[in-house]
Every structure is written in C-alpha cells, then in structure tokens.
DNA sequence: TCTGGGGTCCTAGGACCC
DNA sequence: TCTGGGGTCCTAGGACCC
C-alpha cells in the first residue's frame, strides 16, 4: 500500500502465485477469508478467489527495513533487530532527551507511519519479551504500554501461544499438563524455565551462531544427477558470494535434500580449513550429495548452508596464507565481473569437480 | 491442488579428551 | 576387573519465527 495506494482496503495476497509456493503475507481484508502466511497458494486462491496476488519483492523489503531502523536509531543507540520489520529499542536513559518513554514510543511509531506510510504497532515494557507481546496484541496500528509492576497481571490471562517460541507443538504439550494461560504456566517452574525466558537475556539478545544458506524447490522433481549438480552450483555460488561480501569464512557445510514425499534429510561436514570459495564449497556439498542421495528417488528441493562462520579463519588455516590470498583475489575478480556484467558472465568451466 | 526461503535455537547421542 | 565424571565438538533432526 505504501507503494500503490490503490490497493488500500483490498484483499492483497503476497506470494503463492500459480498455486505453487506459499503465502508470504496477506492484508487484513484477505485474512478475513482465512488466508494467512505460510498457507499454500492454491488454498488461498480457493478461500479468496478475488484476492489480488502479488509476487514477493525482497529488495523493496530490505530498503524499507533500513528506513525503519534508521528511525529507531534516532532515539537510542541500543537497537536490536528481531527481524526485517521488528526491532527492540532500549529507551533506558532517554528521558532527558526525549521525555517519558511511552511518549517517545508513540512518537517512533507515528514517524514510521508518516514518513514511510507503513502501518506500525508497538509495545513498551520493562522487558523486551513483554514489549513484543504487547506490540503483537496492539496490532494493527496500535500501541500498548505495560507499566513496571503490572507485567504479571498483563501476562497471566494470555494464552501460552502468545509467548514467542511457543508454537503448536509446545501449546499441545502444555495443554496436556492442563496449562492454557501464561498465569498457569508461571505456577509450573520447570515449564516456565523451558518456555518463558524473561530473564537472563531475551531470545533475541542471546549470542547467535550465524549461518548463510540458500535452498530452492525445483519447478519439477529432478532425478538426473547432472541436473542436481547444476542446481547445486547455483546455490553454492549464491552462498559463496554472500560469504565473501560479508567477509566471513565457513567451517561447516550442510546439504539439504527433500524428496517428493517431503521427507527431508540434512548432512553436514566440518572442514579443517574454513572456506569462502565456490569450488571448495561445491566439492563438499557435492560429496555429501554423492554419499547420501537415495538412488532412483526424485528430489524436489536442494539446499546448501554455510555455518561456523568466522572472519578470521586464517590462524587455524592449513592453507598457506599466500595460496589463500590468491584464491581471495580470484574470487574478488569473479564477483566484480558478475556484478558488472550479470550473473551469467562467468562460471566454472565444468561443474564436474574431481575430489581427491 | 499439494506444502517457500531465510534464519535461530534446542536436544540428544557419539567421539574424544583429561 | 568390567568401567567415573566433566567437558567440548560434531552431527541430525525438529520446533519455531518472519
């Protein structure tokens, strides 16, 4: 709607076109028909045939995301991204500059609405998790303040699935113990520890081990090894490029295979030497494919993920620093050419790499 | 009509070390 | 004679989030 005001008030469904794929997002008008994110496209079409189906536009989302965080950072240096469109702002100590936190929070939300013409909601509390729950409850376009001291009273009547991290499985498990609300959960110390991380740092504040991955569902199931290798190369080039632009090396490579019956396996391999180079990543991923692919079964998805990332793979490297540097230079050149002339400009001479 | 793609976190078992 | 306890790393799978 920010880009096309004519869509205001219409049932808009992003993603899930052609019956393939799933819904990424749906406007409130579309949700009235039961359409929601992660729903298969054909189902959304059935529920809401008059829906306006739009393709996803990731570049645009990233641009809006940056603008959102630029606004958040006007009010505090302590801004933590929870996702592409959600952030936690620590307003501790900002009273002298901006006034009472609840007024500041409202101002932030207003600025996002006015400057970016995006709907925005927010929550304010003494704890990031409580603030997030409050923000979710205030949707759409609301604001909810949970003052200090009233946190427990606010949380107690809420269903356990209001807690971030409590999904259908956990909800069912808790129900079997007779726990429906957060208040009931709070009476059970063991279950509270499992699901409610109000102290000791919120989920989004804990240190995390980055990973960079790429996966794709093929247009049609693939049985030919040659074709799988071509797909794998595309994924590896994507991952390799991202490793290089982020200046990191990966110590582990994980291959993901999903068969047509949706059975999914992952197989990983940790290297002696961290890498960011397409050929090496491909060697590892293709080796994992060779060793783990069930013969004769058609594959619908392949994925490659790099993890155990570090910017300083050098010390532990078994490679000579010199050799590594020349590889780095080679791939810098490849990335420049691809950036300048397009992705198809330069590729490997042959996707068949001999492994020793 | 089949079910995306990007991630993080947790668990559990086994190898290995001291 | 039949087997401790603590810790780390690696692997695989699954829950969950947006």
């Amino acid at each position: 709607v920010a880009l096309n005001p004519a869509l205001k008030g219409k049932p808009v469904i992003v993603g899930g076109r052609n019956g393939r794929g799933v819904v990424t997002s749906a406007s409130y008008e579309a949700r009235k028909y039961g359409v929601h994110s992660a729903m298969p496209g054909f189902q959304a079409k059935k529920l809401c045939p008059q829906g306006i189906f739009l393709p996803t536009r990731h570049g645009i989302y990233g641009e809006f995301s940056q603008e959102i965080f630029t606004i958040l950072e006007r009010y505090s240096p302590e801004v933590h991204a929870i996702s592409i469109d959600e952030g936690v702002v620590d307003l501790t100590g900002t009273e002298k500059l901006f006034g009472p936190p609840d007024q500041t929070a409202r101002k932030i939300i207003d600025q996002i609405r006015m400057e970016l013409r995006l709907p925005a909601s927010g929550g304010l509390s003494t704890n990031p998790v409580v603030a997030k729950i409050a923000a979710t409850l205030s949707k759409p376009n609301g604001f909810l303040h949970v003052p200090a001291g009233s946190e427990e009273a606010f949380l107690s009547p809420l269903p356990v699935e209001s807690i971030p991290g409590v999904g259908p499985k956990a909800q069912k498990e808790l129900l079997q113990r007779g726990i429906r609300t957060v208040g009931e959960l709070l009476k059970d110390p063991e279950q509270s520890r499992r699901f409610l991380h109000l102290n000791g740092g919120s989920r989004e504040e804990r240190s995390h081990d980055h990973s960079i991955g790429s996966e794709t569902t093929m247009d049609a199931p693939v049985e030919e090894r040659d074709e799988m290798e071509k797909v794998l190369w595309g994924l590896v080039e994507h991952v390799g490029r991202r490793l290089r632009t982020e200046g990191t090396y990966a110590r582990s490579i994980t291959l993901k295979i999903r068969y047509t019956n949706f059975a999914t396996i992952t197989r990983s391999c940790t290297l002696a030497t961290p890498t960011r180079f397409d050929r090496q990543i491909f060697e590892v991923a293709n080796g994992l494919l060779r060793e783990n692919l069930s013969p004769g079964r058609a594959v619908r998805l392949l994925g490659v993920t790099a993890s155990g990332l570090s910017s300083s793979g050098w010390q532990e490297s078994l490679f000579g620093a010199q050799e590594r540097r020349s590889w780095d230079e080679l791939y810098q050149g490849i990335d420049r050419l691809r950036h300048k002339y397009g992705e198809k400009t330069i590729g490997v001479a042959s996707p068949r790499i001999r492994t020793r």
Side-chain angles (χ1 to χ4, degrees):
Chain A
V1 174
L3 295 170
N4 183 358
L7 294 174
K8 195 177 173 121
K10 303 256 173 70
V12 178
I13 297 164
V14 178
R17 282 221 295 188
N18 316 322
R20 267 201 92 82
V22 298
V23 173
T24 299
S25 184
S27 69
Y28 288 95
E29 291 79 11
R31 289 183 210 182
K32 276 191 280 194
Y33 295 89
V35 177
H36 56 82
S37 55
M39 173 181 275
F42 70 91
Q43 250 177 46
K45 188 85 192 165
K46 204 164 16 173
L47 288 169
C48 185
Q50 73 277 39
I52 301 166
F53 284 77
L54 298 179
T56 51
R57 297 170 65 184
H58 289 106
I60 296 284
Y61 310 148
E63 286 170 29
F64 273 100
S65 178
Q66 282 190 12
E67 298 195 47
I68 292 168
F69 283 96
T70 302
I71 292 176
L72 300 187
E73 281 158 9
R74 287 178 196 162
Y75 294 91
S76 171
E78 293 292 322
V79 175
H80 303 282
I82 299 182
S83 69
I84 191 167
D85 67 346
E86 283 180 306
V88 178
V89 185
D90 187 349
L91 294 175
T92 306
T94 63
E95 289 89 340
K96 281 196 178 132
L97 269 171
F98 302 117
D102 62 317
Q103 284 180 29
T104 308
R106 286 177 197 276
K107 211 187 302 177
I108 293 173
I109 295 162
D110 278 343
Q111 287 190 355
I112 293 171
R113 289 180 193 146
M114 307 289 284
E115 292 179 29
L116 308 181
R117 287 198 287 161
L118 290 175
S121 310
L124 175 68
S125 185
T126 54
N127 172 293
V129 177
V130 179
K132 157 126 174 119
I133 293 170
T136 303
L137 282 180
S138 78
K139 282 184 181 183
N141 274 311
F143 172 74
L144 201 50
H145 181 194
V146 182
S150 66
E151 295 89 347
E152 199 175 329
F154 164 72
L155 290 175
S156 287
L158 302 178
V160 288
E161 65 269 26
S162 311
I163 301 167
V166 176
K169 302 275 172 168
Q171 185 191 351
K172 194 177 163 203
E173 197 186 319
L174 288 169
L175 189 60
Q176 280 166 356
R177 297 170 189 270
I179 298 173
R180 274 190 185 76
T181 65
V182 181
E184 287 158 357
L185 178 65
L186 286 167
K187 287 186 211 139
D188 187 325
E190 194 191 325
Q191 300 305 318
S192 290
R193 265 198 302 283
R194 278 182 69 193
F195 295 112
L196 198 56
H197 308 283
L198 293 179
N199 334 312
S202 65
R203 182 195 188 84
E204 54 274 4
E205 277 178 340
R206 287 199 294 272
S207 68
H208 46 238
D209 180 23
H210 275 300
S211 65
I212 290 174
S214 185
E215 62 183 58
T216 188
T217 299
M218 272 75 83
D219 292 334
V222 171
E223 287 180 56
E224 298 295 316
R225 270 300 302 273
D226 279 6
E227 208 176 328
M228 291 181 202
E229 288 186 18
K230 272 185 210 153
V231 172
L232 205 56
W233 256 110
L235 298 168
V236 163
E237 285 175 353
H238 189 215
V239 170
R241 172 91 95 105
R242 283 198 55 202
L243 286 170
R244 295 191 292 277
T245 56
E246 300 199 9
T248 58
Y249 294 84
R251 227 166 89 65
S252 296
I253 302 298
T254 302
L255 174 77
K256 181 168 168 179
I257 304 171
R258 175 169 291 156
Y259 296 100
T260 43
N261 67 353
F262 229 69
T264 308
I265 64 164
T266 60
R267 292 293 180 270
S268 66
C269 180
T270 296
L271 315 171
T273 307
T275 185
R276 55 160 59 149
F277 309 124
D278 299 356
R279 291 187 84 105
Q280 290 182 328
I281 300 168
F282 180 81
E283 275 189 39
V284 176
N286 196 36
L288 289 168
L289 181 67
R290 188 186 322 112
E291 290 157 22
N292 295 286
L293 183 68
S294 304
R297 290 177 75 184
V299 168
R300 66 169 280 138
L301 171 147
L302 285 173
V304 175
T305 296
S307 61
L309 305 188
S310 61
S311 51
S312 55
W314 299 93
Q315 305 90 314
E316 47 206 287
S317 171
L318 299 181
F319 250 131
Q322 186 115 31
E323 189 179 350
R324 179 86 80 112
R325 201 151 43 235
S326 57
W327 278 103
D328 259 329
E329 281 164 11
L330 172 65
Y331 275 94
Q332 270 169 28
I334 290 174
D335 288 343
R336 266 201 304 276
L337 281 172
R338 284 186 182 146
H339 183 68
K340 200 166 171 186
Y341 300 110
E343 294 301 321
K344 296 276 171 273
T345 307
I346 183 164
V348 284
S350 158
R352 290 205 186 281
I353 302 297
R354 197 176 329 126
T355 46
R356 268 172 289 153

